[in-house]
Amino acid sequence: MTERRTWLLTTPIYYVNDVPHVGHAYTTIAADTLTRARRLQGKDAFLLTGTDEHGQNIERIAREKGVPTQQYCDQIAAVFRQLWDRLDIRYDRFIRTTEDVHVRGVLKLWGGLIEAKCPDGRDAIYKGTYAGWYCPRCEAFKDEEELKQPGNLCSIHERPCEWTEEENFFFRLSAYEGWLREAIGKGSGPGGLRIDPAARRNEVLGIIDQGLKDFSVSRARVKWGIPVPQRPDHVLYVWFDALSNYITALGYADDGAQYEKYWASDGAERFHLIGKDILRFHCLYWPALLQAAGVPPPNREFVQGWITREGRKLSKTTGNVIDPQALVDRYGPDPVRYFLLREGTYGQDWDFTDQAFVGRYNSDLANDLGNLVSRALTMVQRYRDGKVPPRGARFDVVEPANVLASYEALDFAGALSQVWAAVTKLNQRIVTHAPWEMAKDPHQSARLDALLYDLLEGVRLISILVQPVMPRAAGRIARMLGLPERDPGPGDLEWGRLEPGSPLAAIEPLFPRIEKAANAAAKEKTVPDSSTPPPPATEAASPPMPDRIDIADFAKIELRAAIVTAAEKVEGSKKLVKLQVDLGTEKRQVVAGIAESYAPETLVGKKVVIVANLKPAKLMGVESNGMVLAASVDGKAVLCTFDADVPPGARVK
Ligand code: MSP
């Protein structure tokens, strides 16, 4: 395997025929995340994106809107850039195919091709006549059998294709079958082209096995494009124009320094992220064109999956599009980035649902991560005066190298699930070690220091590892930890970077729960319901209150089976009944509010469930040592019992 020293990653350049949709955001967020993960490791990474602005389709849309074509392109390109800004996409270069440096680069590549010879010695470019069905939206010719009948419709756009006959320049793709097969077969080896996932690689090899057809690289009837110098009444095929962006953006026209560094050099990874719709162009046409022109071809491509809704393709006609701007308006950039990368497996199709979005937001972000951060920091504020405590022994919750390896493999869901396993472990540690109990005992002070330091370091490491996906949240956690907000680097991945004694900053809520915000107005007017968590307690020894409990929280409640041995009404009360219960190892008196539903004598012999570790209390002056579980149905108590025999004292969990 060739050692890589520079890391170029590209997104497809998006058509400006419409404003960006969630599929565009998906690819761009994935690319930004991988690039950030690489920068985090100190790698020389470069992210390239942009807009594809030529072609018949765009020319037509601008005409329909009554706007000059260039002006129309300017408007839509600006919307793409603005969305990327809103989504915190940190690209190094935004290329537009109407830029002069692009046009010059395309013409330079064309100049090389027109002179080029194929492996079999024939000219790589030749003149021929093309007759076939053309879909102006795909900007591609279609085979007769691909069309939907009646009406010769494009199977993707469901619009009529046009019968087109013209004299074109052709590229002799057929002469590159052997070379392509070999390069793809070599994968990540020298001179190879690695295509992932494997199913897509096999798909490309399958296409080659069926035989590759030469394709035309000029168009007679299109005006909005780059004229062919040898035939100024033709423009270069929009896909030839568009694919060239990957090198023109780097300064190929002038042999620029970035082109040398990120594309031409031996140690350059030239990596394209693409959708499955554009596989043929990127995995066959583009490598072969470059090989013919004597320019290094890409060496890595990853084909992402499709976002669907109710299993259907997103389309304006169906009305099921997902507007990325609206998502950012509502939730902010981090949750959108997180959800898109966490919910599906990158490389496979997956279905977007609003419920899943809200569910993940509330459980993963508001509850798991948000609570961990606020609990850890609150405890340091309360028990250590807001200063980082002394370091203790290290408790490993996550292996940064494994998370980074998952990012590098485009396994975003895998990277995030490793980080969330760490979040869960730390939340569990808080429950099992009960720092609020330790805080009451001066002898436990050193243990509490160690635990709190480790929690803070855990939070810090988690924020660094999640930074490629949620750069804003990572910055806010850094700020709360009293650290400068800057781009993290390799040194930040080491445990123990927090300086004991340094002050934390104010705690800010990270991810407020969604339904609370939505219901806030309504709730203000109603009485607080029991599902609303109480406000944080102020006394020193109480734990910060999470919205949901961990299994370890639940385990603190000791539920046991018990047999009622005697029962009588509590005098002066309509509701209360005094029970004597047998817990196997001990007998107890428990008072229960079930007298209106059960006559005392019917209770004797019943097997019930008792909360055995409840602090004793007096009800109407009668001592109660535990609590009986019952449901309340229309104000009537229904006792919780067993559907098979269990010995008294059996633990219920
Ligand atoms: N302009 C060409 C690409 C030229 S690259 C040299 C183009 N543009 S596009 O605007 O149609 O964007 C296509 C890309 O957007 C897909 O390859 C894919 O990355 C992304 N997606 C568009 N819709 C998508 C989904 N519904 N789901 C996931 N990604 C999708 O083709």
Side-chain angles (χ1 to χ4, degrees):
M1 199 186 294
T2 322
E3 201 204 322
R4 304 277 183 238
R5 286 181 294 273
T6 59
W7 309 79
L8 170 73
L9 182 64
T10 70
T11 73
I13 49 169
Y14 304 110
Y15 286 132
V16 290
N17 56 1
D18 207 342
V19 292
H21 64 68
V22 77
H24 302 136
Y26 184 41
T27 322
T28 313
I29 290 168
D32 183 62
T33 297
L34 174 56
T35 304
R36 285 175 184 269
R38 289 171 161 184
R39 292 188 193 122
L40 173 57
Q41 295 165 78
K43 290 180 174 171
D44 191 344
F46 191 103
L47 176 60
L48 171 61
T49 188
T51 39
D52 188 352
E53 304 188 358
H54 285 137
Q56 200 174 339
N57 200 28
I58 287 156
E59 192 179 14
R60 178 183 55 80
I61 291 169
R63 196 178 331 112
E64 282 168 13
K65 298 214 185 271
V67 185
T69 318
Q70 185 63 58
Q71 188 183 323
Y72 170 76
C73 293
D74 294 349
Q75 284 167 3
I76 304 284
V79 179
F80 272 93
R81 292 181 93 129
Q82 179 242 6
L83 177 64
W84 301 158
D85 286 348
R86 297 191 70 203
L87 279 167
D88 290 328
I89 305 296
R90 183 102 57 84
Y91 51 77
D92 296 284
R93 174 80 161 93
F94 187 100
I95 177 82
R96 299 181 55 191
T97 55
T98 50
E99 281 176 46
D100 174 60
V101 71
H102 172 75
V103 175
R104 288 194 291 113
V106 172
L107 290 173
K108 179 174 168 185
L109 186 62
W110 174 251
L113 275 175
I114 209 118
E115 304 287 322
K117 299 284 179 208
C118 294
D120 60 12
R122 288 182 295 167
D123 290 338
I125 300 284
Y126 65 93
K127 266 189 193 164
T129 304
Y130 199 96
W133 294 101
Y134 190 76
C135 169
R137 289 171 196 250
C138 292
E139 298 281 7
F141 281 101
K142 302 276 157 175
D143 288 339
E144 188 109 33
E145 56 273 21
E146 285 180 66
L147 302 180
K148 262 189 152 178
Q149 300 301 349
N152 300 313
L153 307 181
C154 162
S155 57
I156 298 171
H157 293 100
E158 311 225 328
R159 298 275 180 139
C161 291
E162 296 159 10
W163 180 255
T164 308
E165 260 177 61
E166 55 185 45
E167 194 189 58
N168 288 154
F169 286 100
F170 279 75
F171 175 68
R172 210 180 298 276
L173 182 67
S174 53
Y176 290 87
E177 275 179 18
W179 175 79
L180 279 165
R181 199 179 284 114
E182 206 184 318
I184 295 167
K186 284 183 193 161
S188 48
L193 168 56
R194 169 179 170 188
I195 300 172
D196 289 308
R200 295 292 170 203
R201 172 167 61 245
N202 293 336
E203 185 180 334
V204 176
L205 290 170
I207 299 174
I208 301 174
D209 286 345
Q210 282 171 15
L212 297 179
K213 285 193 202 137
D214 300 345
F215 63 93
S216 75
V217 278
S218 68
R219 290 284 178 276
R221 296 173 321 141
V222 184
K223 297 282 158 292
W224 184 244
I226 303 174
V228 182
Q230 294 76 2
R231 279 211 64 170
D233 56 329
H234 280 207
V235 298
L236 289 167
Y237 177 37
V238 68
W239 271 100
F240 177 72
D241 177 342
L243 289 160
S244 308
N245 92 85
Y246 298 132
I247 55 174
T248 65
L250 300 169
Y252 167 72
D254 310 305
D255 293 325
Q258 284 183 337
Y259 170 72
E260 290 302 323
K261 184 174 179 190
Y262 294 104
W263 192 276
S265 81
D266 278 351
E269 182 171 276
R270 303 176 284 269
F271 186 0
H272 302 311
L273 279 196
I274 57 171
K276 59 183 177 181
D277 50 335
I278 55 178
L279 177 110
R280 181 184 284 264
F281 300 108
H282 282 80
C283 299
L284 298 169
Y285 290 18
W286 175 233
L289 283 166
L290 290 176
Q291 175 70 3
V295 174
N299 41 34
R300 191 173 169 195
E301 310 210 25
F302 192 102
V303 188
Q304 78 171 30
W306 223 234
I307 301 179
T308 58
R309 225 167 180 183
E310 281 152 8
R312 299 173 69 188
K313 199 171 178 290
L314 305 177
S315 112
K316 276 214 162 154
T317 339
T318 334
N320 64 349
V321 285
I322 302 160
D323 176 8
Q325 306 272 10
L327 287 176
V328 184
D329 288 344
R330 179 125 192 243
Y331 305 110
D334 281 350
V336 178
R337 295 172 63 109
Y338 175 80
F339 178 73
L340 292 179
L341 297 184
R342 179 67 186 88
E343 182 67 5
T345 300
Y346 200 67
Q348 282 171 25
D349 295 356
W350 60 279
D351 211 53
F352 184 108
T353 69
D354 299 325
Q355 297 90 302
F357 195 111
V358 174
R360 280 220 177 265
Y361 179 101
N362 279 342
S363 82
D364 300 5
L365 300 181
N367 196 48
D368 297 345
L369 181 62
N371 274 327
L372 171 65
V373 174
S374 87
R375 292 162 112 193
L377 273 72
T378 304
M379 289 190 293
V380 176
Q381 299 286 12
R382 283 190 195 156
Y383 310 139
R384 290 295 177 265
D385 201 21
K387 302 233 166 56
V388 176
R391 288 188 188 90
R394 173 185 181 166
F395 175 75
D396 274 318
V397 283
V398 63
E399 184 44 72
N402 292 345
V403 177
L404 294 169
S406 296
Y407 280 130
E408 189 55 49
L410 286 298
D411 179 11
F412 301 110
L416 290 168
S417 73
Q418 290 173 63
V419 177
W420 255 255
V423 170
T424 305
K425 277 190 203 159
L426 290 180
N427 273 324
Q428 274 168 0
R429 284 200 90 202
I430 295 178
V431 174
T432 38
H433 291 262
W436 45 94
E437 296 298 334
M438 287 161 117
K440 291 179 194 161
D441 177 0
H443 295 111
Q444 303 242 37
S445 183
R447 276 190 64 210
L448 182 59
D449 279 343
L451 176 68
L452 292 178
Y453 185 87
D454 210 61
L455 284 174
L456 287 184
E457 261 302 306
V459 164
R460 190 189 64 79
L461 264 181
I462 283 167
S463 79
I464 301 289
L465 291 172
V466 98
Q467 186 271 352
V469 179
M470 296 197 289
R472 259 184 218 201
R476 291 172 69 196
I477 295 174
R479 194 161 64 216
M480 289 188 243
L481 288 170
L483 298 170
E485 259 181 89
R486 51 160 178 77
D487 287 342
D492 295 308
L493 295 164
E494 287 158 24
W495 187 88
R497 303 285 289 197
L498 280 170
E499 256 333 296
S502 60
L504 304 184
I507 303 174
E508 325 162 15
L510 266 186
F511 298 108
R513 285 181 74 86
I514 288 174
E515 74 266 333
K516 267 197 208 153
N519 298 337
K523 279 215 172 130
E524 263 173 22
K525 296 198 187 76
T526 56
V527 284
D529 74 35
S530 57
S531 65
T532 310
T538 44
E539 70 273 27
S542 59
M545 185 60 84
D547 286 333
R548 282 210 215 168
I549 62 167
D550 285 305
I551 185 79
D553 283 326
F554 173 70
K556 285 169 59 187
I557 303 170
E558 193 187 325
L559 298 174
R560 291 199 183 273
I563 299 182
V564 180
T565 53
E568 61 177 288
K569 284 193 123 191
V570 171
E571 248 181 76
S573 166
K574 279 205 307 205
K575 285 191 174 171
L576 297 181
V577 56
K578 185 167 76 178
L579 307 173
Q580 306 304 324
V581 296
D582 181 354
L583 276 160
T585 48
E586 60 173 304
K587 301 214 176 349
R588 295 229 195 143
Q589 175 171 296
V590 176
V591 177
I594 55 173
E596 288 176 319
S597 315
Y598 293 90
E601 60 280 12
T602 62
L603 290 166
V604 178
K606 269 201 193 302
K607 226 164 238 174
V608 292
V609 181
I610 300 279
V611 182
N613 61 343
L614 203 64
K615 285 184 183 150
K618 277 200 170 157
L619 301 170
M620 301 276 291
V622 183
E623 165 113 65
S624 179
N625 225 327
M627 185 174 117
V628 177
L629 293 191
S632 169
V633 182
D634 298 331
K636 274 195 74 160
V638 180
L639 277 173
C640 207
T641 177
F642 296 93
D643 79 345
D645 204 18
V646 288
R651 181 89 196 242
V652 179
K653 45 192 184 175

